[in-house]
Amino acid sequence: MLTALDGVYGDRKDALSVAGRTASYEELLGAARAVAADVAGAPAFAVTATASLETVAAAVGGLLAGVPFVPLPPDAGPAEREHILRDSGAVLTDVDFDRRSSGSAGPGAGAGAPGAAPEDPALVLYTSGTTGAPKGVVLTGAAIAADLDALAEAWQWSAEDTLVHGLPLFHVHGLVLGVLGALRRGSRLVHTGRPTPQAYAEAGGSLYFGVPTVWSRIAADAPAAEALGGARLLVSGSAALPAPVFRDLERLTGLRPVERYGMTETLITVSGRAGGEVRPGTVGTPLPGIRTRIAAEPGAEIGELQLTGPTLFSGYLGRPEATAAAYTQDGWFRTGDIAAVDPADGVHRIVGRASIDMIKSGGYRIGAGEIENALLDHPRVSEAAVVGVPDADLGQRIVAFVVAEGVTGAELTEFVAAHLSVHKRPREVRFVAAVPRNAMGKPQKKLLLTGEFGPQAG
Ligand code: MLC
Ligand code: AMP
Protein backbone atom coordinates (compact mmCIF):
# COMPACT_ATOMS: atom_id res chain seq x y z
CA MET A 1 0.00 0.00 0.00
CA LEU A 2 2.69 2.52 1.03
CA THR A 3 5.32 1.69 -1.53
CA ALA A 4 7.77 4.31 -0.28
CA LEU A 5 8.17 2.41 2.98
CA ASP A 6 9.37 -0.72 1.16
CA GLY A 7 12.64 1.04 0.47
CA VAL A 8 12.17 1.24 -3.29
CA TYR A 9 12.92 4.95 -3.35
CA GLY A 10 15.90 4.80 -1.03
CA ASP A 11 15.89 6.56 2.28
CA ARG A 12 16.29 10.32 2.15
CA LYS A 13 16.76 12.00 5.52
CA ASP A 14 14.11 14.54 4.60
CA ALA A 15 11.55 12.25 2.97
CA LEU A 16 8.97 13.94 5.17
CA SER A 17 8.81 17.39 6.60
CA VAL A 18 5.77 18.14 8.72
CA ALA A 19 5.32 21.50 10.40
CA GLY A 20 9.08 22.03 10.47
CA ARG A 21 10.20 18.56 11.66
CA THR A 22 11.80 16.16 9.20
CA ALA A 23 12.01 12.37 9.16
CA SER A 24 13.24 9.62 6.89
CA TYR A 25 11.07 6.72 5.76
CA GLU A 26 13.03 4.46 8.10
CA GLU A 27 12.23 6.70 11.06
CA LEU A 28 8.58 6.88 10.05
CA LEU A 29 8.40 3.11 9.71
CA GLY A 30 9.95 2.63 13.14
CA ALA A 31 7.46 4.99 14.78
CA ALA A 32 4.57 3.43 12.86
CA ARG A 33 5.60 -0.05 13.97
CA ALA A 34 5.48 1.12 17.58
CA VAL A 35 1.95 2.43 16.98
CA ALA A 36 0.98 -0.84 15.30
CA ALA A 37 2.20 -2.80 18.32
CA ASP A 38 0.21 -0.55 20.67
CA VAL A 39 -3.07 -0.80 18.80
CA ALA A 40 -2.90 -4.43 17.62
CA GLY A 41 -6.17 -6.20 18.38
CA ALA A 42 -8.20 -3.02 19.03
CA PRO A 43 -11.44 -2.62 17.06
CA ALA A 44 -10.25 0.85 16.00
CA PHE A 45 -7.97 3.54 17.41
CA ALA A 46 -8.15 7.32 17.56
CA VAL A 47 -5.39 9.91 17.68
CA THR A 48 -5.75 13.67 17.97
CA ALA A 49 -4.80 14.48 14.41
CA THR A 50 -2.63 17.57 14.68
CA ALA A 51 -0.50 18.52 11.69
CA SER A 52 2.46 16.47 12.90
CA LEU A 53 4.73 13.49 12.29
CA GLU A 54 2.74 11.75 15.05
CA THR A 55 -0.42 11.79 12.93
CA VAL A 56 1.49 10.44 9.93
CA ALA A 57 2.89 7.63 12.10
CA ALA A 58 -0.60 6.87 13.39
CA ALA A 59 -2.05 6.55 9.89
CA VAL A 60 0.77 4.25 8.80
CA GLY A 61 0.69 2.29 12.06
CA GLY A 62 -3.01 1.56 11.59
CA LEU A 63 -2.35 0.19 8.12
CA LEU A 64 0.48 -1.99 9.41
CA ALA A 65 -1.64 -3.40 12.22
CA GLY A 66 -4.80 -3.74 10.15
CA VAL A 67 -6.68 -1.63 12.71
CA PRO A 68 -8.88 1.25 11.43
CA PHE A 69 -7.55 4.72 12.25
CA VAL A 70 -9.96 7.41 13.42
CA PRO A 71 -8.32 10.86 13.21
CA LEU A 72 -9.82 13.26 15.75
CA PRO A 73 -10.01 16.93 14.73
CA PRO A 74 -7.66 18.61 17.21
CA ASP A 75 -10.02 21.55 17.65
CA ALA A 76 -13.13 19.43 18.23
CA GLY A 77 -15.07 20.48 21.30
CA PRO A 78 -15.67 17.88 24.03
CA ALA A 79 -19.12 16.89 22.73
CA GLU A 80 -17.87 16.21 19.20
CA ARG A 81 -14.84 14.30 20.49
CA GLU A 82 -17.01 12.20 22.79
CA HIS A 83 -19.39 11.43 19.96
CA ILE A 84 -16.61 10.27 17.63
CA LEU A 85 -14.97 8.10 20.30
CA ARG A 86 -18.22 6.52 21.42
CA ASP A 87 -19.63 6.04 17.93
CA SER A 88 -16.45 4.46 16.55
CA GLY A 89 -15.53 2.43 19.64
CA ALA A 90 -11.97 3.61 18.99
CA VAL A 91 -9.32 3.38 21.68
CA LEU A 92 -7.77 6.82 22.25
CA THR A 93 -4.04 6.42 21.68
CA ASP A 94 -0.98 8.62 22.18
CA VAL A 95 1.83 8.58 19.65
CA ASP A 96 5.45 9.26 20.55
CA PHE A 97 7.37 9.70 17.30
CA ASP A 98 10.68 9.15 19.07
CA ARG A 99 9.67 5.71 20.29
CA ARG A 100 10.50 3.34 17.46
CA SER A 101 10.13 -0.38 16.98
CA SER A 102 12.15 -2.34 14.51
CA GLY A 103 11.10 -5.67 13.09
CA SER A 104 7.72 -7.21 13.46
CA ALA A 105 4.79 -5.67 15.31
CA GLY A 106 1.41 -7.28 15.06
CA PRO A 107 0.25 -9.27 12.08
CA GLY A 108 2.23 -8.51 8.94
CA ALA A 109 4.07 -5.49 10.21
CA GLY A 110 6.55 -5.08 7.35
CA ALA A 111 5.53 -2.21 5.13
CA GLY A 112 5.19 -4.51 2.15
CA ALA A 113 3.50 -7.30 4.09
CA PRO A 114 -0.23 -6.78 4.16
CA GLY A 115 -1.19 -6.16 7.80
CA ALA A 116 -4.72 -5.61 6.66
CA ALA A 117 -6.47 -7.29 3.78
CA PRO A 118 -7.29 -4.71 1.10
CA GLU A 119 -11.00 -5.04 1.80
CA ASP A 120 -10.61 -4.34 5.54
CA PRO A 121 -11.52 -0.89 6.87
CA ALA A 122 -8.42 1.31 7.01
CA LEU A 123 -9.84 4.71 7.96
CA VAL A 124 -13.01 5.97 9.59
CA LEU A 125 -13.46 9.68 8.78
CA TYR A 126 -16.24 11.63 10.48
CA THR A 127 -18.25 13.92 8.27
CA SER A 128 -21.41 15.96 8.62
CA GLY A 129 -24.76 15.29 7.02
CA THR A 130 -27.48 17.92 6.72
CA THR A 131 -28.84 16.98 10.14
CA GLY A 132 -27.63 15.20 13.24
CA ALA A 133 -24.19 14.34 14.48
CA PRO A 134 -21.31 13.48 12.11
CA LYS A 135 -21.27 9.95 10.69
CA GLY A 136 -18.23 7.70 10.38
CA VAL A 137 -17.30 7.03 6.75
CA VAL A 138 -15.54 3.67 6.46
CA LEU A 139 -12.83 3.52 3.79
CA THR A 140 -10.93 0.37 2.84
CA GLY A 141 -7.30 0.15 1.84
CA ALA A 142 -8.46 -1.06 -1.58
CA ALA A 143 -10.60 2.06 -2.15
CA ILE A 144 -7.75 4.33 -1.07
CA ALA A 145 -5.20 2.53 -3.25
CA ALA A 146 -7.54 2.65 -6.27
CA ASP A 147 -8.03 6.38 -5.80
CA LEU A 148 -4.37 7.21 -5.32
CA ASP A 149 -3.39 5.23 -8.43
CA ALA A 150 -6.09 6.87 -10.53
CA LEU A 151 -4.90 10.31 -9.35
CA ALA A 152 -1.27 9.42 -10.09
CA GLU A 153 -2.27 8.68 -13.66
CA ALA A 154 -4.32 11.86 -13.97
CA TRP A 155 -1.66 14.11 -12.51
CA GLN A 156 1.47 12.22 -13.69
CA TRP A 157 2.31 12.10 -9.99
CA SER A 158 5.56 10.24 -9.25
CA ALA A 159 8.50 9.80 -6.90
CA GLU A 160 10.14 12.72 -8.70
CA ASP A 161 7.59 15.08 -7.17
CA THR A 162 7.83 17.07 -3.97
CA LEU A 163 4.30 17.44 -2.69
CA VAL A 164 3.53 20.57 -0.66
CA HIS A 165 0.39 21.35 1.31
CA GLY A 166 -0.71 22.51 4.75
CA LEU A 167 -4.15 20.94 5.02
CA PRO A 168 -5.68 19.33 8.10
CA LEU A 169 -4.82 15.66 8.60
CA PHE A 170 -8.31 14.46 9.55
CA HIS A 171 -9.98 14.70 6.14
CA VAL A 172 -9.58 13.07 2.75
CA HIS A 173 -7.75 16.00 1.18
CA GLY A 174 -4.90 16.34 3.68
CA LEU A 175 -4.70 12.77 4.99
CA VAL A 176 -5.55 10.45 2.09
CA LEU A 177 -4.20 12.49 -0.83
CA GLY A 178 -1.71 14.59 1.08
CA VAL A 179 -0.08 11.91 3.23
CA LEU A 180 -0.96 8.42 1.99
CA GLY A 181 -0.65 9.66 -1.59
CA ALA A 182 2.90 10.87 -1.05
CA LEU A 183 3.81 7.60 0.69
CA ARG A 184 2.31 5.45 -2.06
CA ARG A 185 4.09 7.42 -4.81
CA GLY A 186 7.36 7.94 -2.98
CA SER A 187 7.21 11.70 -3.45
CA ARG A 188 8.85 13.83 -0.81
CA LEU A 189 6.22 15.48 1.39
CA VAL A 190 6.44 18.97 2.82
CA HIS A 191 3.52 19.75 5.12
CA THR A 192 3.67 23.45 5.97
CA GLY A 193 1.79 23.23 9.27
CA ARG A 194 -0.65 25.92 8.21
CA PRO A 195 -1.43 26.62 4.55
CA THR A 196 -0.18 30.20 4.44
CA PRO A 197 0.91 31.83 1.17
CA GLN A 198 4.38 32.43 2.56
CA ALA A 199 4.87 28.82 3.65
CA TYR A 200 3.74 27.53 0.23
CA ALA A 201 6.10 29.99 -1.47
CA GLU A 202 9.09 28.90 0.59
CA ALA A 203 8.53 25.15 0.23
CA GLY A 204 9.92 24.76 -3.29
CA GLY A 205 7.65 21.90 -4.37
CA SER A 206 6.63 20.55 -7.76
CA LEU A 207 3.06 19.61 -6.80
CA TYR A 208 0.83 21.74 -4.57
CA PHE A 209 -2.56 20.94 -3.03
CA GLY A 210 -4.98 23.51 -1.63
CA VAL A 211 -8.61 24.28 -0.97
CA PRO A 212 -9.98 27.36 -2.80
CA THR A 213 -9.57 29.56 0.30
CA VAL A 214 -5.86 28.74 0.31
CA TRP A 215 -5.56 29.51 -3.42
CA SER A 216 -7.46 32.75 -3.12
CA ARG A 217 -5.16 33.92 -0.30
CA ILE A 218 -2.13 32.97 -2.43
CA ALA A 219 -3.56 34.76 -5.48
CA ALA A 220 -3.93 37.89 -3.34
CA ASP A 221 -0.22 37.73 -2.39
CA ALA A 222 1.60 38.32 -5.68
CA PRO A 223 5.17 37.54 -4.50
CA ALA A 224 4.01 34.25 -2.93
CA ALA A 225 2.07 33.28 -6.04
CA GLU A 226 4.99 34.14 -8.31
CA ALA A 227 7.23 31.89 -6.24
CA LEU A 228 5.06 28.93 -7.26
CA GLY A 229 5.89 29.53 -10.92
CA GLY A 230 8.54 26.81 -10.83
CA ALA A 231 6.05 24.13 -9.82
CA ARG A 232 4.73 21.47 -12.16
CA LEU A 233 1.10 21.31 -11.03
CA LEU A 234 -1.25 23.24 -8.73
CA VAL A 235 -4.34 21.27 -7.68
CA SER A 236 -7.48 22.73 -6.13
CA GLY A 237 -10.35 20.85 -4.55
CA SER A 238 -12.85 20.39 -1.70
CA ALA A 239 -14.96 23.30 -2.93
CA ALA A 240 -15.43 25.33 -6.10
CA LEU A 241 -12.43 27.41 -7.23
CA PRO A 242 -13.74 30.85 -8.22
CA ALA A 243 -12.88 31.76 -11.83
CA PRO A 244 -11.17 35.05 -10.82
CA VAL A 245 -8.84 33.12 -8.52
CA PHE A 246 -8.05 30.72 -11.37
CA ARG A 247 -7.19 33.65 -13.64
CA ASP A 248 -5.06 35.43 -11.02
CA LEU A 249 -3.12 32.24 -10.36
CA GLU A 250 -2.55 31.73 -14.06
CA ARG A 251 -1.35 35.30 -14.48
CA LEU A 252 1.02 35.14 -11.50
CA THR A 253 2.36 31.59 -11.79
CA GLY A 254 2.02 30.85 -15.50
CA LEU A 255 0.19 27.64 -14.51
CA ARG A 256 -3.47 26.79 -15.03
CA PRO A 257 -4.59 25.14 -11.77
CA VAL A 258 -6.22 21.74 -12.12
CA GLU A 259 -9.49 21.22 -10.25
CA ARG A 260 -10.70 17.92 -8.97
CA TYR A 261 -13.94 16.89 -7.29
CA GLY A 262 -14.54 14.42 -4.49
CA MET A 263 -16.28 13.55 -1.27
CA THR A 264 -15.34 11.76 1.92
CA GLU A 265 -17.68 8.93 0.86
CA THR A 266 -16.34 8.54 -2.67
CA LEU A 267 -12.77 9.85 -2.47
CA ILE A 268 -11.72 11.85 -5.54
CA THR A 269 -13.74 10.79 -8.57
CA VAL A 270 -13.49 13.51 -11.23
CA SER A 271 -10.42 15.54 -12.16
CA GLY A 272 -8.64 17.64 -14.72
CA ARG A 273 -5.49 16.11 -16.17
CA ALA A 274 -1.87 17.29 -16.00
CA GLY A 275 -1.01 18.46 -19.48
CA GLY A 276 -4.68 18.39 -20.48
CA GLU A 277 -6.98 21.25 -21.28
CA VAL A 278 -8.43 22.88 -18.15
CA ARG A 279 -11.22 25.44 -18.11
CA PRO A 280 -12.04 27.58 -15.07
CA GLY A 281 -15.24 26.48 -13.36
CA THR A 282 -14.92 22.84 -14.41
CA VAL A 283 -13.60 19.77 -12.58
CA GLY A 284 -12.54 17.60 -15.52
CA THR A 285 -13.61 14.08 -16.38
CA PRO A 286 -14.13 10.90 -14.33
CA LEU A 287 -11.00 9.11 -13.14
CA PRO A 288 -10.24 5.65 -14.56
CA GLY A 289 -12.72 3.13 -13.12
CA ILE A 290 -15.33 5.76 -12.16
CA ARG A 291 -18.67 6.02 -13.95
CA THR A 292 -20.89 9.09 -13.51
CA ARG A 293 -24.39 10.05 -14.52
CA ILE A 294 -26.62 13.10 -14.09
CA ALA A 295 -30.07 12.39 -12.69
CA ALA A 296 -31.87 15.23 -14.47
CA GLU A 297 -35.54 15.89 -15.03
CA PRO A 298 -36.52 15.21 -18.67
CA GLY A 299 -35.28 18.09 -20.81
CA ALA A 300 -32.99 19.49 -18.10
CA GLU A 301 -29.21 19.44 -18.39
CA ILE A 302 -28.36 19.76 -14.75
CA GLY A 303 -29.25 17.35 -11.99
CA GLU A 304 -27.81 15.29 -9.18
CA LEU A 305 -24.40 13.77 -9.89
CA GLN A 306 -24.43 10.03 -9.18
CA LEU A 307 -21.50 7.67 -9.46
CA THR A 308 -20.09 4.18 -9.04
CA GLY A 309 -16.56 2.82 -8.90
CA PRO A 310 -13.84 1.18 -6.83
CA THR A 311 -13.06 4.24 -4.69
CA LEU A 312 -16.39 4.33 -2.87
CA PHE A 313 -16.73 3.89 0.90
CA SER A 314 -18.04 0.69 2.43
CA GLY A 315 -20.76 2.45 4.40
CA TYR A 316 -21.50 4.74 7.33
CA LEU A 317 -20.25 3.03 10.48
CA GLY A 318 -23.14 1.31 12.26
CA ARG A 319 -25.80 3.05 10.11
CA PRO A 320 -27.08 0.66 7.47
CA GLU A 321 -30.19 2.77 6.81
CA ALA A 322 -28.15 5.90 6.16
CA THR A 323 -25.86 3.90 3.90
CA ALA A 324 -28.79 2.47 1.95
CA ALA A 325 -30.33 5.93 1.63
CA ALA A 326 -27.13 7.22 0.04
CA TYR A 327 -27.64 4.93 -2.98
CA THR A 328 -30.25 4.80 -5.71
CA GLN A 329 -32.25 1.61 -6.15
CA ASP A 330 -29.96 0.59 -9.00
CA GLY A 331 -26.84 1.02 -6.88
CA TRP A 332 -25.44 4.45 -7.78
CA PHE A 333 -24.10 6.71 -5.03
CA ARG A 334 -26.07 9.95 -4.67
CA THR A 335 -23.56 12.76 -4.18
CA GLY A 336 -26.14 15.44 -3.35
CA ASP A 337 -24.22 17.74 -5.70
CA ILE A 338 -25.89 19.31 -8.70
CA ALA A 339 -23.75 19.04 -11.82
CA ALA A 340 -23.71 19.29 -15.60
CA VAL A 341 -21.61 17.39 -18.15
CA ASP A 342 -20.44 18.92 -21.42
CA PRO A 343 -21.75 16.54 -24.09
CA ALA A 344 -18.81 17.39 -26.37
CA ASP A 345 -15.95 16.32 -24.11
CA GLY A 346 -17.49 14.88 -20.93
CA VAL A 347 -16.06 17.67 -18.76
CA HIS A 348 -18.01 18.03 -15.50
CA ARG A 349 -19.13 21.25 -13.88
CA ILE A 350 -20.37 21.33 -10.27
CA VAL A 351 -23.27 23.76 -10.09
CA GLY A 352 -24.01 23.57 -6.36
CA ARG A 353 -25.40 21.46 -3.53
CA ALA A 354 -28.90 20.02 -3.65
CA SER A 355 -29.45 20.88 0.03
CA ILE A 356 -29.19 24.35 1.50
CA ASP A 357 -28.34 22.61 4.79
CA MET A 358 -24.92 21.42 3.62
CA ILE A 359 -22.40 24.22 3.99
CA LYS A 360 -18.81 24.36 2.69
CA SER A 361 -16.70 26.94 4.48
CA GLY A 362 -12.95 27.08 3.86
CA GLY A 363 -13.30 23.60 2.33
CA TYR A 364 -14.82 22.19 5.53
CA ARG A 365 -18.13 20.39 5.16
CA ILE A 366 -20.56 21.52 7.83
CA GLY A 367 -24.15 20.44 8.41
CA ALA A 368 -26.52 23.27 9.32
CA GLY A 369 -28.51 20.92 11.57
CA GLU A 370 -25.53 20.12 13.75
CA ILE A 371 -24.93 23.80 14.52
CA GLU A 372 -28.65 24.45 15.01
CA ASN A 373 -28.78 21.63 17.56
CA ALA A 374 -25.76 23.04 19.38
CA LEU A 375 -27.39 26.50 19.50
CA LEU A 376 -30.72 25.07 20.68
CA ASP A 377 -28.87 23.41 23.57
CA HIS A 378 -28.26 26.91 24.92
CA PRO A 379 -30.97 27.65 27.50
CA ARG A 380 -31.62 31.14 26.14
CA VAL A 381 -32.10 30.12 22.50
CA SER A 382 -35.62 29.21 21.41
CA GLU A 383 -35.17 29.01 17.63
CA ALA A 384 -32.14 28.70 15.38
CA ALA A 385 -31.61 28.50 11.62
CA VAL A 386 -28.12 28.29 10.16
CA VAL A 387 -27.20 29.15 6.56
CA GLY A 388 -24.06 29.44 4.44
CA VAL A 389 -23.79 32.98 3.08
CA PRO A 390 -21.58 33.53 -0.01
CA ASP A 391 -18.12 34.72 1.09
CA ALA A 392 -15.18 35.81 -1.07
CA ASP A 393 -12.56 34.20 1.20
CA LEU A 394 -14.31 31.09 2.54
CA GLY A 395 -16.74 30.26 -0.30
CA GLN A 396 -19.51 30.29 2.28
CA ARG A 397 -19.50 31.64 5.81
CA ILE A 398 -21.71 30.32 8.59
CA VAL A 399 -24.42 32.73 9.68
CA ALA A 400 -26.83 31.79 12.48
CA PHE A 401 -30.27 33.38 12.77
CA VAL A 402 -31.51 32.93 16.33
CA VAL A 403 -34.41 33.83 18.50
CA ALA A 404 -32.91 34.42 21.93
CA GLU A 405 -32.91 36.80 24.84
CA GLY A 406 -30.27 37.77 27.37
CA VAL A 407 -27.28 36.40 25.48
CA THR A 408 -24.80 37.98 23.06
CA GLY A 409 -23.70 36.72 19.66
CA ALA A 410 -20.15 36.26 20.94
CA GLU A 411 -21.40 34.12 23.81
CA LEU A 412 -23.34 31.90 21.42
CA THR A 413 -20.35 31.55 19.11
CA GLU A 414 -18.19 30.47 22.05
CA PHE A 415 -20.95 28.10 23.18
CA VAL A 416 -20.89 26.37 19.76
CA ALA A 417 -17.09 26.18 19.81
CA ALA A 418 -17.19 24.49 23.20
CA HIS A 419 -19.32 21.71 21.72
CA LEU A 420 -18.22 21.32 18.11
CA SER A 421 -15.05 21.88 16.09
CA VAL A 422 -13.85 25.45 16.08
CA HIS A 423 -14.44 25.84 12.32
CA LYS A 424 -18.15 25.15 12.91
CA ARG A 425 -18.52 28.39 14.87
CA PRO A 426 -20.89 30.90 13.26
CA ARG A 427 -18.98 33.88 11.89
CA GLU A 428 -22.03 35.99 12.54
CA VAL A 429 -25.10 35.67 14.77
CA ARG A 430 -28.20 37.64 13.75
CA PHE A 431 -31.00 38.01 16.28
CA VAL A 432 -34.47 37.79 14.74
CA ALA A 433 -37.99 37.97 16.19
CA ALA A 434 -38.89 34.67 14.53
CA VAL A 435 -37.47 32.23 12.00
CA PRO A 436 -39.63 32.39 8.86
CA ARG A 437 -41.44 29.09 8.34
CA ASN A 438 -43.76 27.63 5.74
CA ALA A 439 -47.18 26.16 6.50
CA MET A 440 -45.52 22.88 7.49
CA GLY A 441 -43.33 24.68 10.03
CA LYS A 442 -40.16 24.14 8.00
CA PRO A 443 -37.66 27.04 8.15
CA GLN A 444 -37.59 29.02 4.90
CA LYS A 445 -33.88 29.48 4.68
CA LYS A 446 -33.92 30.99 1.20
CA LEU A 447 -35.70 33.97 2.74
CA LEU A 448 -32.94 34.24 5.33
CA LEU A 449 -30.33 34.25 2.58
CA THR A 450 -32.05 36.96 0.56
CA GLY A 451 -32.91 38.96 3.65
CA GLU A 452 -36.65 38.96 2.87
CA PHE A 453 -37.75 37.88 6.30
CA GLY A 454 -39.69 39.44 9.14
CA PRO A 455 -38.64 42.12 11.59
CA GLN A 456 -35.25 41.91 13.31
CA ALA A 457 -35.35 41.53 17.07
CA GLY A 458 -33.84 44.09 19.42
C1 MLC B 1 -12.54 31.29 12.72
N1 MLC B 1 -12.00 32.10 13.64
C2 MLC B 1 -13.00 32.66 14.34
C3 MLC B 1 -14.20 32.16 13.79
N2 MLC B 1 -13.87 31.31 12.80
N3 MLC B 1 -12.99 33.52 15.35
C4 MLC B 1 -14.17 33.90 15.86
N4 MLC B 1 -15.34 33.47 15.40
C5 MLC B 1 -15.41 32.62 14.39
N5 MLC B 1 -16.58 32.20 13.96
C6 MLC B 1 -10.58 32.32 13.88
C7 MLC B 1 -9.75 31.10 13.60
O1 MLC B 1 -9.73 30.24 14.70
C8 MLC B 1 -8.40 31.69 13.33
O2 MLC B 1 -7.78 32.03 14.54
C9 MLC B 1 -8.75 32.98 12.59
O3 MLC B 1 -10.11 33.29 12.98
C10 MLC B 1 -8.71 32.83 11.09
O4 MLC B 1 -9.63 31.81 10.77
P1 MLC B 1 -10.00 31.41 9.28
O5 MLC B 1 -10.41 32.58 8.50
O6 MLC B 1 -10.89 30.23 9.33
O7 MLC B 1 -8.66 31.03 8.66
P2 MLC B 1 -7.84 29.82 8.92
O8 MLC B 1 -7.89 29.37 10.32
O9 MLC B 1 -6.53 30.17 8.33
O10 MLC B 1 -8.62 28.71 8.03
C11 MLC B 1 -8.69 28.76 6.63
C12 MLC B 1 -8.20 27.43 6.09
C13 MLC B 1 -9.03 26.34 6.77
C14 MLC B 1 -8.40 27.42 4.60
C15 MLC B 1 -6.75 27.26 6.43
O11 MLC B 1 -10.40 26.62 6.55
C16 MLC B 1 -8.67 24.97 6.29
O12 MLC B 1 -7.67 24.41 6.68
N6 MLC B 1 -9.50 24.37 5.41
C17 MLC B 1 -9.27 23.06 4.86
C18 MLC B 1 -10.44 22.17 5.04
C19 MLC B 1 -10.22 20.81 4.37
O13 MLC B 1 -9.13 20.28 4.38
N7 MLC B 1 -11.24 20.28 3.76
C20 MLC B 1 -11.14 19.04 3.02
C21 MLC B 1 -12.30 18.14 3.33
S1 MLC B 1 -12.07 16.61 2.38
P3 MLC B 1 -6.26 31.70 14.83
O14 MLC B 1 -6.06 32.24 16.21
O15 MLC B 1 -6.14 30.23 14.75
O16 MLC B 1 -5.48 32.43 13.77
C22 MLC B 1 -12.91 16.94 0.95
C23 MLC B 1 -12.79 15.96 -0.16
C24 MLC B 1 -12.20 16.71 -1.24
O17 MLC B 1 -13.53 17.93 0.84
O18 MLC B 1 -12.80 16.88 -2.31
O19 MLC B 1 -11.09 17.18 -0.97
P1 AMP C 1 -16.25 16.38 1.98
O1 AMP C 1 -17.05 15.21 2.30
O2 AMP C 1 -15.84 17.22 3.12
O3 AMP C 1 -15.12 15.87 1.24
O4 AMP C 1 -17.08 17.32 1.03
C1 AMP C 1 -17.52 16.88 -0.21
C2 AMP C 1 -18.17 18.00 -0.95
O5 AMP C 1 -17.23 18.99 -1.30
C3 AMP C 1 -18.78 17.58 -2.25
O6 AMP C 1 -20.03 16.94 -2.09
C4 AMP C 1 -18.87 18.91 -2.99
O7 AMP C 1 -20.03 19.61 -2.59
C5 AMP C 1 -17.65 19.65 -2.49
N1 AMP C 1 -16.54 19.65 -3.46
C6 AMP C 1 -15.41 18.92 -3.44
N2 AMP C 1 -14.62 19.25 -4.48
C7 AMP C 1 -15.26 20.21 -5.18
C8 AMP C 1 -14.97 20.97 -6.37
N3 AMP C 1 -13.81 20.82 -7.02
N4 AMP C 1 -15.89 21.86 -6.79
C9 AMP C 1 -17.04 22.05 -6.12
N5 AMP C 1 -17.36 21.37 -5.00
C10 AMP C 1 -16.49 20.46 -4.53
Side-chain angles (χ1 to χ4, degrees):
M1 166 77 171
L2 305 176
T3 329
L5 301 183
D6 292 333
V8 286
Y9 304 109
D11 193 37
R12 284 181 293 227
K13 262 192 155 48
D14 61 348
L16 300 160
S17 163
V18 183
R21 285 157 69 209
T22 57
S24 67
Y25 291 139
E26 197 52 42
E27 288 164 337
L28 170 61
L29 192 53
R33 283 190 174 124
V35 174
D38 284 350
V39 304
F45 75 106
V47 165
T48 303
T50 52
S52 63
L53 289 172
E54 284 72 17
T55 302
V56 176
V60 176
L63 288 168
L64 297 181
V67 176
F69 170 46
V70 183
L72 286 173
D75 69 345
E80 187 165 343
R81 233 178 128 81
E82 268 300 294
H83 164 72
I84 294 175
L85 288 172
R86 195 170 346 102
D87 189 75
S88 64
V91 178
L92 186 59
T93 306
D94 278 328
V95 176
D96 176 358
F97 196 80
D98 295 324
R99 192 168 61 86
R100 309 229 169 83
S101 289
S102 53
S104 171
E119 294 305 330
D120 285 345
L123 293 176
V124 183
L125 301 182
Y126 276 77
T127 192
S128 301
T130 52
T131 56
K135 297 190 282 285
V137 171
V138 180
L139 296 165
T140 64
I144 293 168
D147 204 50
L148 294 176
D149 291 350
L151 289 174
E153 194 179 320
W155 298 341
Q156 296 165 21
W157 182 3
S158 77
E160 304 293 306
D161 280 306
T162 293
L163 170 64
V164 178
H165 71 93
L167 297 166
L169 300 187
F170 45 92
H171 284 310
V172 162
H173 200 161
L175 182 63
V176 176
L177 275 58
V179 171
L180 301 182
L183 294 174
R184 187 163 174 87
R185 292 280 81 77
S187 19
R188 199 163 81 83
L189 170 64
V190 178
H191 188 290
T192 58
R194 291 190 78 158
T196 61
Q198 202 190 340
Y200 272 43
E202 285 168 3
S206 61
L207 175 61
Y208 283 81
F209 292 168
V211 297
T213 301
V214 169
W215 290 123
S216 106
R217 292 176 186 183
I218 289 172
D221 181 339
E226 283 161 4
L228 302 190
R232 183 177 72 76
L233 190 66
L234 312 180
V235 184
S236 180
S238 306
L241 184 71
V245 176
F246 180 104
R247 294 202 190 90
D248 286 346
L249 283 175
E250 183 180 22
R251 181 171 50 79
L252 293 164
T253 65
L255 298 165
R256 287 167 80 79
V258 164
E259 240 193 297
R260 91 295 178 290
Y261 161 85
M263 285 185 83
T264 308
E265 290 89 336
T266 65
L267 300 178
I268 309 308
T269 48
V270 182
S271 181
R273 303 297 194 269
E277 197 210 327
V278 289
R279 294 199 295 277
T282 64
V283 295
T285 53
L287 291 175
I290 302 290
R291 289 194 300 150
T292 66
R293 72 182 186 191
I294 302 289
E297 300 289 322
E301 280 164 13
I302 67 167
E304 186 185 37
L305 178 65
Q306 301 179 347
L307 39 87
T308 64
T311 66
L312 265 62
F313 71 145
S314 33
Y316 295 112
L317 187 69
R319 288 181 173 76
E321 320 75 39
T323 306
Y327 286 88
T328 62
Q329 292 225 313
D330 58 344
W332 290 64
F333 179 79
R334 310 183 47 156
T335 64
D337 288 305
I338 306 299
V341 178
D342 188 325
D345 54 12
V347 167
H348 287 46
R349 185 164 57 86
I350 307 298
V351 179
R353 282 296 305 182
S355 170
I356 201 168
D357 288 324
M358 189 74 93
I359 300 169
K360 266 268 160 163
S361 187
Y364 284 114
R365 168 169 156 187
I366 300 153
E370 195 186 353
I371 305 173
E372 288 159 3
N373 288 342
L375 287 165
L376 288 168
D377 277 344
H378 193 285
R380 299 210 166 260
V381 174
S382 54
E383 287 188 70
V386 167
V387 293
V389 171
D391 185 279
D393 179 45
L394 298 166
Q396 291 181 301
R397 70 173 180 278
I398 303 170
V399 176
F401 291 80
V402 297
V403 180
E405 267 175 36
V407 62
T408 66
E411 282 163 359
L412 288 179
T413 300
E414 276 315 302
F415 184 77
V416 171
H419 286 70
L420 308 175
S421 294
V422 162
H423 64 263
K424 296 179 182 172
R425 279 176 297 192
R427 301 267 162 168
E428 207 182 311
V429 177
R430 296 194 199 158
F431 292 93
V432 290
V435 168
R437 293 179 189 274
N438 66 14
M440 310 294 290
K442 198 171 176 285
Q444 293 191 286
K445 294 197 176 178
K446 288 215 171 97
L447 295 182
L448 294 175
L449 275 173
T450 53
E452 299 164 25
F453 59 94
Q456 298 257 342

